[in-house]
Each structure stands twice: as structure tokens, then as C-alpha cells.
Amino acid sequence: MARRPAGEGRWRIGRVYVEPGAARWVPNRGEPVALSDARATGVRPPSVREGMSINPGSRIVAFAHPDGATMEIAVMALDLRELLDAVPRSAQDAPETT
């Protein structure tokens, strides 16, 4: 699940596809969002309120795009490493994986 911009709006259902050199989020409705130019800026667990909408065992990865747009994607903890390996990380805010 994902939401754009980060911290606002509803969580939208979709899938993250991780391929060599290219990652993208494809919503059930709408256009795919390329993650290859985005930077992962942080990882956090969902809040109690977010845990009612998304799986409370997931981790939320925050992304920043070069045009200033932000996005959050909720992924299961077992899939977190694969996503972080496919997306560049911000130098000053390298995400922690827990």
C-alpha cells in the first residue's frame, strides 16, 4: 500500500515490482510510479492509527523524488531488504532496517 504525498491522504492498494535497476509501484488504479529516481529517506513502523488501515507488522518506507514529491510505501518486514537494495538511499538519511 502507498500514499502520496507522504503523511497525507488515504493508503492506496498496489504492488511494488523490484527488477534489476528499476523498481516501481503499480497501484490497482492509476499510473505506475517509477522508484528508480526516488531516494529512500527513512523507515519506520506504522503508528497505531495507521495499523488499522495497513498491516501493523509492515514497515513504512519514505521516498523523496527529485521534483520534490514525497511518497510512503508500506511493505512487509521480510520484503524490506529487497526494496531498499533496489532503491538508492539518501546520503544524510540512510534508513535503518529493523
Side-chain angles (χ1 to χ4, degrees):
M1 298 187 80
R3 64 181 173 183
R4 295 175 67 189
E8 299 178 19
R10 297 180 129 181
W11 288 97
R12 296 180 52 199
I13 297 172
R15 289 184 174 263
V16 174
Y17 292 95
V18 176
E19 297 161 355
R24 67 186 188 283
W25 180 71
V26 180
N28 282 0
R29 293 185 190 175
E31 295 295 317
V33 178
L35 300 175
S36 57
D37 62 341
R39 297 246 180 241
T41 59
V43 176
R44 65 178 177 85
S47 68
V48 173
R49 184 174 179 188
E50 290 170 329
M52 292 188 282
S53 300
I54 61 174
N55 188 318
S58 64
R59 295 292 177 257
I60 298 172
V61 182
F63 292 94
H65 292 271
D67 63 1
T70 59
M71 176 179 200
E72 290 178 321
I73 297 178
V75 298
M76 293 309 298
L78 294 175
D79 300 324
L80 181 61
R81 173 68 56 200
E82 184 178 1
L83 176 61
L84 292 178
D85 288 344
V87 178
R89 299 181 188 170
S90 178
Q92 65 270 25
D93 296 321
E96 297 178 15
T97 56
T98 56

